[in-house]
Amino acid sequence: MYFLSGWPKRLLCAARSPAEAPLHVQSDPRRAFFAVLAPARLSIWYSRPSVLIVTYKEPAKSSTQFGSYKQAEWRPDSTMIAVSTSNGYILFFHITSSRGDKYLYEPVYPKGSPQMKGIPHFKEEHCAPALNLEMKKILDLQAPIMSLQSVLEDLLVATSDGLLHLIHWEGMTNGRKAINLSTVPFSVDLQSSRGSFLGFADVHIKDMEYCATLDGFAVVFNDGKVGFITPVSSRFTAEQLHGVWPQDVIDGTCVAVNNKYRLMAFGCASGSVQVYTIDNTTGAMLLSHKLELTAKQYPDIWNKTGAVKLIRWSPDNSAVIVTWECGGLSLWSVFGAQLICTLGGDFAYRSDGTKKEPLKIHSMSWGAEGYHLWVISGFGSQHTEIESDLRSIVKQPSILLFQFIKSVLTVNPCMSNQEQVLLQGEDRLYLNCGEASQTQNSKSSSARADHMPSRGKNPFADGGLESQGLSTLLGHRHWHVVQISSTYLESNWPIRFSAIDKLGQNIAVAGKFGFAHYSLLTKKWKLFGNITQEQNMIVTGGLAWWNDFMVLACYNLSDRQEELRIYLRTSNLDNAFAHVTKAPVETLLLSVFRDMVVVFRADCSICLYSIERKFDGSNTSASVQVLQEVSMSRYIPHPFLVVSVTLTSVSTENGITLKMPQQARDAESIMLNLAGQLIMMQRDRSGPQIREKDSNPNQRKLVSKSLPFCPPVVLAQSVENVWTTCRANKQKRHLLEALWLSCGGAGMKVWLPLFPRDHRKPHSFLSQRIMLPFHINIYPLAVLFEDALVLGAVNDTLLYDSLYTRNSAREQLEVLFPFCVVERTSQIYLHHILRQLLVRNLGEQALLLAQSCAALPYFPHVLELMLHEVLEEEATSREPIPDPLLPTVAKFITEFPLFLQTVVHCARKTEYALWNYLFAAVGNPKDLFEECLMAQDLDTAASYLIILQNMEVPAVSRQHATLLFNTALEQGKWDLCRHMIRFLKAIGSGESETPPSTPTAQEPSSSGGFEFFRNRSISLSQSAENVPPGKFSLQKTLSMPSGPSGKRWSRDSDCAENMYIDMMLWRHARRLLEDVRLKDLGCFAAQLGFELISWLCKERTRAARVDNFVVALKRLHKDFLWPLPIIPASSLSSPFKNGKCRTVGDQLLKSQSADPFITPEMDSGISNIQRSQSWLSNIGPTHRDTDIASSPGPQMQDAFLSPLSNKGDECSIGSATDLTESSSMVDGDWTVVDENFSTLSLTQSELEHISMELASKGPHKSQVQLRYLLHIFMEAGCLDWCVVIGLILRESSVISQILSIAQSSEMDGEMLQNIKTGLHAVERWAAADCPGYKPFLNIIKPQLQKLSEITEEQVEPDTFQPVTMGKTPEQTSPRAEESRGSSSRASISQSETGSNSVVSRKEEDTTQADEEEPFQDGAYDCSVS
């Protein structure tokens, strides 16, 4: 519709005295000139450029005689102006062009510019003409003049003595007597035999306006009554006039009429506008609608606006602007949808919150095509302040130009069968179709990802919407702005029509003469090569696209002939390439449907053409032939009243019942919008039909296209726009075969087809279509049929007043007005339609419709909106509802799998008071909770828990929370587990804490890896860097979980609630260990901050025992994706068998744990780390430190001094199974290995063996996790598990370390016995099933023998002495670690000196990572005491 754009412009008209201050503006019929009145002067302004042409100043002597100027009226041919004065005079001014061919302003072009040399009409287009004003005639009517109105060749004047004068433009009355109003009869309608007379003496007309299409005058009397006076016959005398009036208006102030829609808008003293129309049959005045501000939108001003001061309809009659006595301006669509109001928001308040004084408007007039509104404004009471404060421009009246952008639908209604929104401004177009390269049919969602809206407000940010072209049409907030070619604009301003093609790739515009088109793909305009051809045609009935052709109805000036022309987009713009069809009369409207063109003509006839593409050799053209003509003159009183005409495939019968199924999508009916009444004429299929086999397809096609039409039927009233589509989609027939209507303030309506289920025969008594009304919050400009969306636009404002100080910028327009921009909006309407169907007991239809749309990304939101709206209405209703809808809606939603989420989301968004009403309809929340658990939908169950906590006693919610907690633990939903721990604590401690927020999606941290590990600083080398080795002791504490319960865990540890939670956690940990699910156990401990070491110490002899080593080994291989070792065939003769080369192999294995940062060549290491930040981010140091802590000192020196990892850490080699993680690093690292081994001159078989070694390693992440678990079990003294992990990692150092601990005799004999039997079982299994383990078992054979010796010794009771049984391993292990740490530190210190800077840089990295991820769980704190 109409939207404000930018800031208003101010025209300079410096008034040096009150007599020169402008007070009234009136445009001429063509809106090219504007007459501006001041109390004693008349000025003529030109519209483009907006300049003052001539001023007539009244001499002081005659000024006192006439009084001040009041109103002006133009003669229809713009040659005269009549001005009324306060003392009852009418002054007639003649406008003549002065000084021959001279112009007041001319454009100047640089020398040699090709600009506009031989263009006809160029001068009058471009230059402001020089005019003269002379007063020709003075007429004295001897009573103050109230209203002045031009009627055809006469001037109608109403005076305060109750007379109506009809005056000829030459200033003569032609002997006609003035009509006395008291002699005109008035009645409620024209059927009354005789009306009553205005019974009081001093009645006179205060304001009036002539309506050509109703042939009469809308009048407002001085006592506030309103009426409509019409001549009964052609003669205009008192005897022939008759008036009608409505009973209920008694406070009228002003009036404006809309000729196209036959509406009369009466302003009232209450601030509202009442819009009336005339009943065709009785002639009575009927109230159509009201324009009034609501208390809901404008709570502080809605009833304080004062009386309505002015009403002005836009030039295309599609919008009306209203102003009030107290200031302010509002814009409404023709049937009452509010578009803009300046009494609220940024218009009314400054950025600091203070209220502005509203803009007071004394007079206003629309400019050409409605792109500008000329306003005479003043702030406050201007007349008193002009003399005192002449320098303040704000306080004195001035001329402001408000700029508007409007929707194409206002002037070119054939655009309503498209899905794009196109707005036209004075010199630019606004499109919503994003980039042209993404055509509507593109299905690739990747190209669309970046077009999704980023605002939270918008409900469609769900990613790939797969319906056709949806994201291109919804797109982002911004418009695609196309600047209209300045060459075309210079001689053809203003732009009258514009159109866009179906794919949104080409635009055509038509101005004063000719037309031009633009391609969004090439970003180029195409204009007529021959300017004479362009200036020789005027587009009259709009223009439309048909495939690659532009179809337009125009008037040929040289031949004086109406024509229908078709131009091909790809050829040059020239009449030689056009297909021209002559038309008998002027075409007013044009529309394209499939391959048919429908035109509406000035003789009220509708003509249908068929259009087809034809190829003549190389060039393509289109040919047109007339199909049929339909005369509508019986039904249409005036051709100007037809707003739009469209062909549609909509009919009262659905496709199922038609005799021939393929006719369902043919042109079935003509839709005609006659002054807001939607009229449908269907094809008459009652006659004989041609059978399929009797005729060839072409003949049949032509016959079906030229079937006669039935008499018209009225479908709806107050219709502004109509949308329909010719596409077909079997899945969404409801939406695609419906007819969409926009009805202004009444919202929208949809004429929906009803289909029987499963193609059963429909009931004869059931209607096959139904009209459903619904309200939407935006002004609709396009309908996306399949996507159940309405697209629109809305004005938004930006304040810039803070850029100026209060005093310096008093007269800046930027301070007084906000900057206006137009934003794209969209709205879902499906829930309204479903609800309307349910209200009418059409649940089956609602279900069919909903199921067809269930794949839409916002369908869950649709169900939720429907439930929410019905709940709010019914639960808050004061009167009892006889037939409540909520149970029906609840039953309807249960048909969908989203039922449980919909109910709980709705409940959480409504207040607690309404919950009982909701759950009475949808079911008990306890049952719904259990359904969620059965459906494994834990997040929704958590939401129900919050509802249970509010509605039930604590015991019930604890019982349900325990159920959910156990299920969440089982499924590894750690985020939910943390929330549940907090929730259970809150219930137990009776805290009035808000319940946990339901997680909407699982955090990435629950992916199963131990990501927490990268921030766990078990590093002994860094924490004690500056302390002498003998002076520190290390205290290790496991930090609390990161959730809200972290701080409370230790504080409340004695309370029963914590005990209860701990029991559940212990039980879960025990179950995981019994099932050998070590990976899950690690995740569980890390994510929930479970104190694993202390628990393992307690469970060492129970749950933490390994019952079956072979099963455990197999399970770990599977869980950690760790390949079983294999022996290559060549290894039987490999030098690795004898010991001479084994050190190299060992070193290669050990370098897994070598530190990447302490090698001499640092650069590559760092760049590698940065390159693969995603998976290597902080693992380097931690992984090294684990190894320091978990293997004896002397062997570590070998690993650190190894020359093999001098190009960054070798762990990036990964394994054959994990090359995908960072392929960019892999190649480089393989070459490193080659370089290193080339110096040892290895044979082919040795290289093969090394590659086998590498291939038998699992993913890098698994290796880190296994080492970490090894560390944990070592701390807890669960040596049997350490042995299993040592076997998987195939590191003999681990086994020997376990034995060294065993030799210190702190070991439980039973555990050693278990290890011994377990290892024998592994040996037997390896011999039978997995020979790849044999080489490693051979390496650790000596340790095994030692182990059996130790166990045999410990069996004898005499030698078994429990020396340190009092101490738990937990207490002893820090000391062991300390000694290990100091020895390893000594070994590191040599190389550290060379790379201190690097270490510190790495420390910065880790601290940064700690800041970024404050919720990483369970970090070790190393404190130095």
Side-chain angles (χ1 to χ4, degrees), residues 524-759:
K524 283 183 181 161
W525 281 95
K526 201 177 264 191
L527 275 63
F528 271 95
N530 183 342
I531 291 174
T532 317
Q533 288 185 6
E534 176 189 279
Q535 300 289 314
N536 203 14
M537 64 183 279
I538 299 175
V539 177
T540 56
L543 71 168
W545 286 88
W546 177 74
N547 301 337
D548 257 359
F549 295 91
M550 280 149 291
V551 183
L552 48 99
C554 64
Y555 178 67
N556 185 330
L557 287 168
S558 60
D559 298 355
R560 298 187 181 176
Q561 173 68 51
E562 301 289 343
E563 295 173 343
L564 182 71
R565 294 191 188 181
I566 298 176
Y567 291 84
L568 179 63
R569 175 182 66 83
T570 48
S571 63
N572 287 342
L573 201 46
D574 193 293
N575 292 347
F577 301 108
H579 179 279
V580 180
T581 307
K582 292 186 175 175
V585 282
E586 183 187 352
T587 301
L588 299 180
L589 293 163
L590 168 146
S591 176
V592 173
F593 173 85
R594 297 229 169 137
D595 49 0
M596 293 169 77
V597 179
V598 55
V599 298
F600 176 75
R601 297 184 178 146
D603 61 355
C604 295
S605 66
I606 292 173
C607 186
L608 302 181
Y609 295 92
S610 75
I611 177 172
E612 58 182 325
R613 184 189 289 265
K614 63 171 191 220
F615 303 95
D616 306 340
S618 57
N619 52 355
T620 311
S621 65
S623 71
V624 164
Q625 64 182 99
V626 178
L627 284 177
Q628 74 190 104
E629 293 198 32
V630 185
S631 171
M632 297 288 292
S633 48
R634 288 172 56 195
Y635 311 108
I636 298 175
H638 195 292
F640 181 63
L641 296 173
V642 178
V643 180
S644 70
V645 58
T646 32
L647 266 177
T648 73
S649 51
V650 171
S651 68
T652 48
E653 295 197 338
N654 295 331
I656 299 158
T657 56
L658 288 174
K659 297 176 186 172
M660 295 158 68
Q662 87 279 0
Q663 293 166 353
R665 305 304 289 155
D666 277 349
E668 275 302 309
S669 57
I670 293 175
M671 295 285 173
L672 204 74
N673 184 347
L674 176 66
Q677 268 197 339
L678 188 66
I679 294 172
M680 179 173 85
M681 293 196 310
Q682 292 191 79
R683 295 255 186 220
D684 185 359
R685 293 192 181 273
S686 58
Q689 301 286 304
I690 297 179
R691 292 218 308 281
E692 301 219 6
K693 58 176 183 286
D694 292 354
S695 63
N696 65 355
N698 286 344
Q699 185 194 344
R700 195 171 63 244
K701 201 169 165 187
L702 275 177
V703 170
S704 79
K705 281 184 176 176
S706 54
L707 279 172
F709 286 93
C710 302
V713 182
V714 176
L715 286 186
Q717 305 279 356
S718 307
V719 176
E720 292 181 8
N721 284 314
V722 185
W723 292 274
T724 144
T725 180
C726 57
R727 285 202 314 277
N729 180 340
K730 281 212 176 79
Q731 274 70 47
K732 297 190 177 176
R733 291 187 59 192
H734 279 94
L735 295 177
L736 280 169
E737 295 183 25
L739 187 73
W740 305 89
L741 316 176
S742 145
C743 300
M748 286 186 77
K749 289 181 182 171
V750 55
W751 201 36
L752 200 70
L754 303 178
F755 297 110
R757 203 157 200 172
D758 314 322
H759 298 292

Side-chain angles (χ1 to χ4, degrees), residues 201-223:
D202 57 348
V203 63
H204 64 260
I205 291 176
K206 187 159 65 170
D207 190 16
M208 67 174 177
E209 192 170 332
Y210 177 67
C211 179
T213 50
L214 285 172
D215 190 25
F217 305 92
V219 293
V220 178
F221 296 109
N222 56 329
D223 64 341

Side-chain angles (χ1 to χ4, degrees), residues 35 70 195 197 202 288 339 505 513 541 639 719 747 773 891 940 985 1023 1035 1155 1265 1269 1311 1361 1388:
K70 286 294 178 199
F197 296 98
D202 57 348
S288 166
L339 303 169
Q505 293 178 1
F513 299 104
V719 176
K891 189 163 177 279
T940 309
K985 281 174 178 287
S1023 58
Q1035 300 169 344
D1155 190 307
Q1265 292 172 348
L1269 284 169
M1311 184 182 284
Q1361 294 170 354
I1388 291 165

Side-chain angles (χ1 to χ4, degrees), residues 313-326:
W313 290 96
S314 64
D316 54 29
N317 291 293
S318 61
V320 62
I321 204 149
V322 177
T323 67
W324 295 278
E325 290 287 354
C326 297

Side-chain angles (χ1 to χ4, degrees), residues 328-346:
L329 174 141
S330 64
L331 183 67
W332 311 73
S333 78
V334 62
F335 287 111
Q338 188 187 313
L339 303 169
I340 301 161
C341 179
T342 65
L343 291 177
D346 291 344

Side-chain angles (χ1 to χ4, degrees), residues 1152-1218:
Q1152 291 287 81
S1153 55
D1155 190 307
F1157 297 105
I1158 324 180
T1159 52
E1161 294 180 39
M1162 279 314 302
D1163 298 330
S1164 67
I1166 282 208
S1167 66
N1168 280 350
I1169 286 291
Q1170 286 164 345
R1171 209 163 4 138
S1172 62
Q1173 198 75 34
S1174 58
W1175 63 289
L1176 250 179
S1177 50
N1178 287 320
I1179 274 173
T1182 43
H1183 153 203
R1184 164 204 47 188
D1185 300 331
T1186 324
D1187 218 55
I1188 296 172
S1190 62
S1191 49
Q1195 281 179 318
M1196 288 302 291
Q1197 279 175 326
D1198 285 355
F1200 275 121
L1201 300 177
S1202 151
L1204 292 182
S1205 61
N1206 64 340
K1207 279 273 186 86
D1209 59 334
E1210 198 257 51
C1211 63
S1212 58
I1213 293 175
S1215 73
T1217 60
D1218 197 39

